[in-house]
Each structure stands twice: as structure tokens, then as C-alpha cells.
Amino acid sequence: MRFNRILLSAPLVVVALVIQVTILARLQLPGAVPDLLLLVVLGLALVYGHVGGSLVGFFTGLLADLAPPSDHAIGRYALVLCIIGYVAGLTRPDNGQHRSATLPLVVVIGAAIGSTLMYAAVGSLVGDTAARHVGIVGLLLSATLYDLLLAPFIVPLVMVLARRTEPEPLVGDGSGSPNGTAGSRDSGYGWLSTGTGLKASRGAMKSIKSVRTGARIGSQRGGLLGKSARDKVGRIKGVKRL
């Protein structure tokens, strides 16, 4: 990951973890707990792509595994968020900009369901049967509902911040910008550069034509001057002969 991505991701993850542990986990809501860390990972993965999303997801999950009052095996949530970040990053468009909020919304729903199922599956492998006592269906419904309620406030904000840390696209490369104006701005620069090239070529053609015209006029003038000079010489020689 680039250094500017780490500078943004680390504070966002730490703040999200503090809010998750100190506020959201103590609300005692029915079913699952709103997963703020998941939404932060999704927002970063939708901008950084599958590689950056998987790295952010792994280190975010590992930090959550180590943070108190963690009561599960270390690496369990890191594995889940790493997979979620990778899959969510695959939905990133080539220009880095989503045309609508439909795809990010679908990603949030899929991530809420997928993370709950994977967390319960990994827990069953290591002997954690807490999900069976609570009820997997209730966990799925509550986790999806809570994440959908928080997603409009968290995911767009994280995506905007992440796009600000990304390097500016090259002029005329057709890639989009965070606010959707850099793409048009790049295309505008491309049109201007193209127009400038046409003007330059037209100016060059005009200069070539003017040079050719000047050469023709010069040659014609030279021919007239040479003819008049020969006539003068002939007249002078004729006078001398007389």
C-alpha cells in the first residue's frame, strides 16, 4: 500500500474501533452489533481496489481481534475482513468512480450477510458455538439492517476521503475523479490540446504556403530583373558595336 493510503486508513480504523467498542457494543441492541469496522473497510476497498481492500481488511480485523474485550480466537475476524475487502475491491470500476449508489449498496448488503456467515463458520471450526445459541437467522437480519442504516453516513464519507488521497489522473487518460469533474476536466484538456495541434498545423501550412508564394514571386522578380539586365547589356553592346 502507498504511504498516503496508510496515513488515511490507520486513523479511520482506530476511530471506528473506538466507537465500535465504547458506544455501539454497549447499546445492547437485539441481535448483532452494528459493524462500523466493516463499513470503513468497504468504503476503502471500493476506492483502493481488491489488493488495498484485502490489506486494509486484514489489518483492521487483526486490530479488532487484539483489542479488548475480544473473546474470540486471534485472526478470526482478520480472515473475514480480508476476504470481504478483497471481494468488495473487485467491484471497483476501472475509472475508480461508481456511477450510482446501487452497486455500493449491494456490496454493503452482501458484506453484512457474508461477514456474519463467515464469522459463524470460522467460529464453528474453532469450537465457538455462540452463533447457534443466538440464532443465525436473527444475526443475519439484524446485522444487515444495522449496517444498511449506518452505510449512507459512513461509506460515502470514507470513499470521499480515500479519493482525496489518491494521485490525480493523467491528462487525457479517461479516468474519473472523486467528485466526477476530473474526468470531464481531463477530456476538456484533451480537446484543447487537440485543437491547439490543429491550429498549429494550420499555421504551419499557412507559413509553408506563404514561403512558397514568396519564393515564386522572388523567382518571377528575379526572372524579370535578369531579362531587363540582359536587354540593357544587349543595348549597350549594340551601341558599342555602332
Side-chain angles (χ1 to χ4, degrees), residues 115-214:
S115 62
T116 303
L117 291 177
M118 284 189 292
Y119 189 81
V122 175
S124 63
L125 293 177
V126 296
D128 186 1
T129 59
R132 297 179 182 177
H133 300 290
V134 177
I136 190 65
V137 177
L139 287 177
L140 288 174
L141 294 178
S142 57
T144 305
L145 177 61
Y146 298 151
D147 291 343
L148 281 178
L149 292 177
L150 288 178
F153 304 98
I154 304 301
V155 176
L157 178 61
V158 173
M159 292 178 68
V160 169
L161 295 176
R163 283 170 179 164
R164 291 183 180 275
T165 62
E166 290 296 282
E168 291 294 332
L170 296 176
V171 175
D173 63 350
S175 60
S177 67
N179 54 10
T181 57
S184 60
R185 191 164 59 243
D186 291 342
S187 61
Y189 284 143
W191 283 112
L192 287 177
S193 62
T194 305
T196 305
L198 290 175
K199 291 179 180 179
S201 61
R202 290 175 181 175
M205 293 298 295
K206 289 181 180 180
S207 61
I208 293 174
K209 289 180 179 180
S210 61
V211 170
R212 290 180 177 177
T213 304

